[in-house]
Amino acid sequence: MGICQSQEEKDLQAKTKQIDRELIQGHASASKVVKLLLLGAGESGKSTLLKQMRILHDHGFSDEEIVKQKSVVYNNTVQGMASIIRGMTQLNLNFKNGGLESDARVVLDVVKRGEESEPITSECAKALIALWNDENVRAAAIRGNEFQLSESAPQ
């Protein structure tokens, strides 16, 4: 029966066999893949767990991912302090140390300009440090559940 086959039919049959082999190989490699669905409320640590898994089992982050994560850290730091400053108003708390209004303005201006994901300038860094050293800023951070403050902000 093979004698009556045209060359075209033989080529098609060879392609079919090749596709079958690829499907079997694909199935074998796919069966080794473990998929994980992470469920949980916002700010519960899903992304952190995923990042830790990548660090431990996937040889860390690429240079591009590191740069992206830096902007997330900058954003979280500046946004966290801005939330605390706004929360102090809601809690009727004033700065314990006088003269921190200008530092608060520096942080809020960074947010207003939309530059919170940019590298933190030395002026903003000094303002963040001065603000964090204020007793009432820390008290407001502890009471963050009374206004909208991310749970990880004080850390």
Side-chain angles (χ1 to χ4, degrees):
M1 188 149 185
I3 289 180
C4 297
Q5 281 184 325
S6 68
Q7 185 61 38
E8 186 178 326
E9 288 176 343
K10 288 180 183 178
D11 291 342
L12 289 174
Q13 194 172 32
K15 284 184 181 181
T16 299
K17 286 182 181 179
Q18 178 64 26
I19 290 171
D20 288 344
R21 278 193 297 270
E22 288 174 8
L23 285 173
I24 290 170
Q25 284 177 334
H27 178 68
S29 64
S31 66
K32 295 177 184 176
V33 173
V34 176
K35 294 184 179 184
L36 179 65
L37 176 63
L38 298 175
L39 299 174
E43 302 293 324
S44 66
K46 300 178 297 291
S47 297
T48 303
L49 177 65
L50 180 62
K51 290 172 192 169
Q52 291 298 317
M53 294 292 286
R54 290 186 69 194
I55 289 170
L56 294 172
H57 300 287
D58 196 27
H59 310 297
F61 296 104
S62 69
D63 291 339
E64 181 181 324
E65 290 170 323
I66 289 171
V67 169
K68 187 187 284 187
Q69 291 305 314
K70 281 183 181 180
S71 68
V72 170
V73 171
Y74 300 146
N75 185 309
N76 288 347
T77 303
V78 175
Q79 284 286 353
M81 184 55 77
S83 294
I84 292 170
I85 293 167
R86 290 186 202 109
M88 288 178 71
T89 304
Q90 284 181 257
L91 300 172
N92 293 319
L93 285 173
N94 295 320
F95 297 114
K96 193 89 165 178
N97 302 332
L100 290 179
E101 286 79 15
S102 61
D103 290 322
R105 179 58 37 216
V106 168
V107 173
L108 294 174
D109 285 345
V110 169
V111 173
K112 186 176 180 180
R113 291 190 307 266
E115 297 173 355
E116 61 269 29
S117 295
E118 302 297 321
I120 296 174
T121 63
S122 61
E123 178 188 25
C124 185
K126 288 175 187 173
L128 289 167
I129 292 167
L131 288 164
W132 188 244
N133 287 329
D134 185 81
E135 189 178 314
N136 283 347
V137 170
R138 289 182 184 239
I142 291 169
R143 296 174 58 190
N145 62 326
E146 297 178 41
F147 58 96
Q148 195 165 353
L149 180 65
S150 170
E151 288 181 16
S152 63
Q155 301 169 353

